[in-house]
Amino acid sequence: MSQALLEGVKFDEKGLVCAIAQDAKTLRVLMVAWMNAEALRKTAETGFAHYYSRSRQKQWMKGEESGHTQKVHELRLDCDGDAVVMLIEQAGGIACHTGRESCFYRVWREGAWQVVDAVLKDETAIYGKTQA
């Protein structure tokens, strides 16, 4: 499976591909992250989203610390092979490390970025500390 899975995926010069997590029911984009080949394989094998953290330089499974896992219902590859979309079920309804449903909680209105989504759970309650 792993070789066929990687066929057609165009990883960038750092070995990464853009990964978009989208709610399977509402179709709202919840987050964008990066995957290397190992993360993509683990996602396909386990049925839960795995990513590669560029800042921490390590592999991680979404929700390993917070409990907010992402069960993957479908993996899609775009026409250029340089982006993956996952239709997911978000555990706890929180995808963003800020405690919001989505990482896309700011909207450009009246000349400024305005926060439009409420914090569902404080970061310190999720992680025990503020995330960078």
Side-chain angles (χ1 to χ4, degrees), residues 24-25 47 70-75 86-90:
K25 289 182 183 160
Q70 293 176 338
K71 182 173 176 31
V72 178
H73 291 270
E74 185 173 88
L75 273 172
M86 296 175 293
L87 294 180
I88 61 104
E89 181 182 332
Q90 180 65 58

Side-chain angles (χ1 to χ4, degrees), residues 9-113:
V9 179
K10 293 181 185 164
F11 295 97
D12 69 11
E13 65 282 349
K14 294 179 183 170
L16 303 174
V17 66
C18 179
I20 302 155
Q22 187 174 16
D23 186 281
K25 289 182 183 160
T26 68
L27 300 182
R28 183 175 186 191
V29 174
L30 300 179
M31 60 179 276
V32 174
W34 297 93
M35 289 181 162
N36 59 11
E38 181 184 354
L40 186 54
R41 275 195 291 270
K42 283 187 173 183
T43 297
E45 289 169 4
T46 67
F48 287 89
H50 286 73
Y51 299 102
Y52 181 81
S53 171
R54 297 178 300 170
S55 60
R56 294 179 285 159
Q57 299 286 298
K58 74 172 207 157
Q59 194 82 25
W60 61 287
M61 184 182 101
K62 176 66 176 165
E64 66 188 14
E65 289 182 36
S66 66
H68 300 140
T69 57
Q70 293 176 338
K71 182 173 176 31
V72 178
H73 291 270
E74 185 173 88
L75 273 172
R76 289 181 175 244
L77 184 63
D78 82 330
C79 59
D80 294 324
D82 60 2
V84 173
V85 172
M86 296 175 293
L87 294 180
I88 61 104
E89 181 182 332
Q90 180 65 58
I94 297 172
C96 186
H97 76 276
T98 65
R100 292 177 173 88
E101 175 188 16
S102 171
C103 293
F104 296 91
Y105 59 86
R106 294 176 280 200
V107 175
W108 182 256
R109 285 188 189 149
E110 300 170 8
W113 288 109

